[in-house]
Amino acid sequence: MKLKKITILLLTLTLSFQAIAAVPAAYATELDEAQQSVVEEIQSVEITQSETTPDETTPDEMTQTEPISDDTTYDSDSEADTKESYIPQSENRFIDVDSDKYYYESVVWAAEKGITSGTSDTTFSPNNVCTRAQIVTFLWNSCGSPNPGSISTKFTDVSPNAYYYQAVQWAVQKGITAGTTETTFSPEKSCTRSQAVTFLWRAAGCPAYTKESSSISGNEASYFYDISQSKYYYDAVQWATEHCVTSGTGDNAFSPNNICTRAQIVTFLYHYLVTQATFTSNVTAPQLNAVMSDAYDRMTVTWYPSNGSEGYTVYRRAASSEDWIPLTTLYGANTASYTDTTAVAGVVYYYTVCAYYTVNGQQIFSRYNNTGICGTVRCFAEQQLQYRDIPYTTPSGLPKGATIASGGCGPSSVCNLGNNLLGWNTSIPQIAQIAVDSGARYNGGTNISTLLGAVQQQFGGFTYQYTSNDDTAFSAVQSGAMAVIHTSGTVKSSQYSQLLSSGGHFLCLLRVTDSTATIVDSYSYDGKWTANNVRREYITQTDTVGIVQCPLSVLAEVVDYYYIVNNAN
């Protein structure tokens, strides 16, 4: 979206303010009009005292007073269509506010609400720059034009006869401004984006910005390359971006020295008080439901949809003290789950969800659960070697002396597949016993088809099929299945000899990408995968003992057949 260069800031008139009147210094007639009562539905806010350091100004800011032409680049929020269009109750009376202008609805709204009556009966002067005196007057009027008392001004350039005299007194009294020097306020000088956002922030009581809220909306001030922590307006910009008052002027810039126009002020006020207020009052934070690992390298987070949302953004962090990192944006108000396939086994992940609504081309986020819900990727790699002393025989007792450790790779691979894919909570001895009872165990080996049939009958929830076609198996696993794979030790290419085993062996194929296979080897021990040059060259060990990776093309050279298993739920 195009970001239009000039002041979305002004509208910073964040949630705290009443309505704001636009009063150009060049028109004395507007003073009385601007003091009309403010919109009833916008509450006034008590202003608190804040640090009174002089407002910083640059030479450029102190000299530019000309109107801004229509071809000026505006900030992003000013041009985009308003999500909830305002329906005017009366005709537009300003001849210089055309219906095709981005600020049309904003100006008509402001006039109807008594926020401004224009610079004459028929003109609004949308492109006139806003002066420091005008902005202070807007704030003063928005708070009910309170009487600042009999305190005399310290500024030599603020006359008691000026329409903004009391407004300046009040602003100084409340710590909103300390002037441009100890004795000057520079009322007729144009107000820059940095000054405008600082005035508004101070008028709001210098609230602390919420780091989590700022980072979760992707609107941190540190995002702007032209804003540094040493600037007096740094905290103000943080606060303004956090409340979606501005998203900058494009290309990661905030443009703190750009000046503001009347149209922009009214537009930002409209965007914040009408569209964003509607959103925040109608859309609730999504209620988190659960997070679970439904397969190796997969975490699924679920939530209850929020009324009035347009979609959701899912966030993740690996520690409760870290910032939330956006994972994805999901479109659809009724979306209620997301599966994270980038999670790493063994890491505890926290997830949270924000509802969003597009306002003027910018995503506005609901509140969110900052604690989030957490879970760990299921990654089972149970090892045969854990069961060295458990006999594993045929029903007739043959072969004698066999144990699960020496002959249980078939049941072990089925166990690992079921625990990782299907969410079983079972152990190798349990599956080995099913193999014995079903007759799948014979002559020192395992008939995987018989075993899968027996396990399917007992547990249910999956389907399986045999294939010797590598592409068929790999495609299925890429689509979410897993497979029990078998190698006989006889390889298609001698260079891969003894890659997975020197003899018959079952393994569990967990995951397939375009180039890599992830495998659980239930007969894994220290040093196995570094035992020969072939394994050292083609096998990569992971942090989980027994889970290894190898090139997909290499795996195809050593596997005899596959039993593909799909989750039927």
mmCIF file of all heavy atoms in Angstrom, residues 508-524:
data_model
loop_
_atom_site.group_PDB
_atom_site.id
_atom_site.type_symbol
_atom_site.label_atom_id
_atom_site.label_comp_id
_atom_site.label_asym_id
_atom_site.label_seq_id
_atom_site.Cartn_x
_atom_site.Cartn_y
_atom_site.Cartn_z
ATOM 1 N N CYS A 508 11.320 -46.545 10.592
ATOM 2 C CA CYS A 508 10.129 -45.706 10.440
ATOM 3 C C CYS A 508 10.500 -44.435 9.678
ATOM 4 O O CYS A 508 11.392 -43.691 10.104
ATOM 5 C CB CYS A 508 9.560 -45.355 11.813
ATOM 6 S SG CYS A 508 8.201 -44.157 11.761
ATOM 7 N N LEU A 509 9.836 -44.223 8.556
ATOM 8 C CA LEU A 509 10.050 -43.010 7.762
ATOM 9 C C LEU A 509 9.086 -41.933 8.264
ATOM 10 O O LEU A 509 7.876 -42.023 8.075
ATOM 11 C CB LEU A 509 9.808 -43.290 6.279
ATOM 12 C CG LEU A 509 9.953 -42.112 5.313
ATOM 13 C CD1 LEU A 509 11.343 -41.492 5.414
ATOM 14 C CD2 LEU A 509 9.666 -42.562 3.880
ATOM 15 N N LEU A 510 9.648 -40.931 8.931
ATOM 16 C CA LEU A 510 8.835 -39.893 9.567
ATOM 17 C C LEU A 510 8.425 -38.786 8.616
ATOM 18 O O LEU A 510 7.285 -38.322 8.626
ATOM 19 C CB LEU A 510 9.616 -39.242 10.721
ATOM 20 C CG LEU A 510 9.823 -40.003 12.013
ATOM 21 C CD1 LEU A 510 10.609 -39.138 12.979
ATOM 22 C CD2 LEU A 510 8.476 -40.373 12.629
ATOM 23 N N ARG A 511 9.374 -38.328 7.841
ATOM 24 C CA ARG A 511 9.136 -37.096 7.097
ATOM 25 C C ARG A 511 9.952 -37.091 5.813
ATOM 26 O O ARG A 511 11.078 -37.593 5.778
ATOM 27 C CB ARG A 511 9.514 -35.901 7.963
ATOM 28 C CG ARG A 511 9.150 -34.550 7.370
ATOM 29 C CD ARG A 511 9.595 -33.434 8.285
ATOM 30 N NE ARG A 511 9.190 -32.131 7.814
ATOM 31 C CZ ARG A 511 9.637 -30.982 8.310
ATOM 32 N NH1 ARG A 511 10.507 -30.997 9.311
ATOM 33 N NH2 ARG A 511 9.216 -29.834 7.842
ATOM 34 N N VAL A 512 9.376 -36.468 4.768
ATOM 35 C CA VAL A 512 10.055 -36.337 3.485
ATOM 36 C C VAL A 512 9.907 -34.903 3.003
ATOM 37 O O VAL A 512 8.805 -34.352 2.992
ATOM 38 C CB VAL A 512 9.460 -37.303 2.442
ATOM 39 C CG1 VAL A 512 9.945 -36.947 1.039
ATOM 40 C CG2 VAL A 512 9.840 -38.748 2.766
ATOM 41 N N THR A 513 11.024 -34.297 2.642
ATOM 42 C CA THR A 513 10.995 -33.004 1.957
ATOM 43 C C THR A 513 11.419 -33.242 0.523
ATOM 44 O O THR A 513 11.564 -34.385 0.086
ATOM 45 C CB THR A 513 11.940 -31.993 2.627
ATOM 46 O OG1 THR A 513 13.304 -32.448 2.476
ATOM 47 C CG2 THR A 513 11.628 -31.863 4.117
ATOM 48 N N ASP A 514 11.645 -32.174 -0.224
ATOM 49 C CA ASP A 514 12.032 -32.346 -1.624
ATOM 50 C C ASP A 514 13.348 -33.096 -1.782
ATOM 51 O O ASP A 514 13.588 -33.730 -2.806
ATOM 52 C CB ASP A 514 12.139 -30.983 -2.314
ATOM 53 C CG ASP A 514 10.784 -30.330 -2.493
ATOM 54 O OD1 ASP A 514 9.780 -31.058 -2.441
ATOM 55 O OD2 ASP A 514 10.738 -29.099 -2.661
ATOM 56 N N SER A 515 14.198 -33.028 -0.754
ATOM 57 C CA SER A 515 15.522 -33.626 -0.919
ATOM 58 C C SER A 515 15.973 -34.507 0.243
ATOM 59 O O SER A 515 16.989 -35.180 0.129
ATOM 60 C CB SER A 515 16.569 -32.523 -1.121
ATOM 61 O OG SER A 515 16.587 -31.657 0.007
ATOM 62 N N THR A 516 15.222 -34.514 1.350
ATOM 63 C CA THR A 516 15.705 -35.180 2.558
ATOM 64 C C THR A 516 14.643 -36.070 3.185
ATOM 65 O O THR A 516 13.458 -35.730 3.191
ATOM 66 C CB THR A 516 16.161 -34.135 3.597
ATOM 67 O OG1 THR A 516 17.128 -33.279 2.994
ATOM 68 C CG2 THR A 516 16.784 -34.799 4.816
ATOM 69 N N ALA A 517 15.092 -37.206 3.719
ATOM 70 C CA ALA A 517 14.218 -38.111 4.458
ATOM 71 C C ALA A 517 14.647 -38.118 5.917
ATOM 72 O O ALA A 517 15.843 -38.116 6.225
ATOM 73 C CB ALA A 517 14.299 -39.521 3.891
ATOM 74 N N THR A 518 13.650 -38.101 6.823
ATOM 75 C CA THR A 518 13.912 -38.196 8.255
ATOM 76 C C THR A 518 13.402 -39.557 8.737
ATOM 77 O O THR A 518 12.249 -39.920 8.481
ATOM 78 C CB THR A 518 13.212 -37.072 9.026
ATOM 79 O OG1 THR A 518 13.670 -35.814 8.521
ATOM 80 C CG2 THR A 518 13.530 -37.152 10.512
ATOM 81 N N ILE A 519 14.260 -40.295 9.417
ATOM 82 C CA ILE A 519 14.000 -41.698 9.743
ATOM 83 C C ILE A 519 14.207 -41.935 11.230
ATOM 84 O O ILE A 519 15.102 -41.349 11.851
ATOM 85 C CB ILE A 519 14.966 -42.615 8.957
ATOM 86 C CG1 ILE A 519 14.798 -42.391 7.454
ATOM 87 C CG2 ILE A 519 14.777 -44.075 9.325
ATOM 88 C CD1 ILE A 519 15.936 -42.969 6.644
ATOM 89 N N VAL A 520 13.382 -42.832 11.810
ATOM 90 C CA VAL A 520 13.632 -43.333 13.160
ATOM 91 C C VAL A 520 14.220 -44.732 13.033
ATOM 92 O O VAL A 520 13.593 -45.626 12.460
ATOM 93 C CB VAL A 520 12.352 -43.413 14.009
ATOM 94 C CG1 VAL A 520 12.679 -43.983 15.388
ATOM 95 C CG2 VAL A 520 11.725 -42.044 14.170
ATOM 96 N N ASP A 521 15.401 -44.911 13.541
ATOM 97 C CA ASP A 521 16.031 -46.231 13.598
ATOM 98 C C ASP A 521 15.951 -46.711 15.045
ATOM 99 O O ASP A 521 16.635 -46.186 15.919
ATOM 100 C CB ASP A 521 17.479 -46.148 13.142
ATOM 101 C CG ASP A 521 18.189 -47.500 13.215
ATOM 102 O OD1 ASP A 521 17.502 -48.514 13.469
ATOM 103 O OD2 ASP A 521 19.421 -47.541 13.033
ATOM 104 N N SER A 522 15.097 -47.698 15.306
ATOM 105 C CA SER A 522 14.897 -48.146 16.682
ATOM 106 C C SER A 522 16.086 -48.931 17.218
ATOM 107 O O SER A 522 16.172 -49.196 18.420
ATOM 108 C CB SER A 522 13.633 -49.007 16.777
ATOM 109 O OG SER A 522 13.758 -50.138 15.939
ATOM 110 N N TYR A 523 16.994 -49.340 16.315
ATOM 111 C CA TYR A 523 18.187 -50.038 16.781
ATOM 112 C C TYR A 523 19.389 -49.113 16.580
ATOM 113 O O TYR A 523 20.280 -49.346 15.779
ATOM 114 C CB TYR A 523 18.402 -51.353 16.027
ATOM 115 C CG TYR A 523 19.370 -52.282 16.736
ATOM 116 C CD1 TYR A 523 18.977 -52.937 17.894
ATOM 117 C CD2 TYR A 523 20.656 -52.492 16.245
ATOM 118 C CE1 TYR A 523 19.854 -53.784 18.561
ATOM 119 C CE2 TYR A 523 21.535 -53.333 16.904
ATOM 120 C CZ TYR A 523 21.135 -53.970 18.055
ATOM 121 O OH TYR A 523 22.005 -54.802 18.721
ATOM 122 N N SER A 524 19.355 -48.036 17.318
ATOM 123 C CA SER A 524 20.423 -47.039 17.209
ATOM 124 C C SER A 524 21.190 -47.001 18.512
ATOM 125 O O SER A 524 20.623 -47.104 19.595
ATOM 126 C CB SER A 524 19.812 -45.659 16.928
ATOM 127 O OG SER A 524 20.824 -44.705 16.741
#
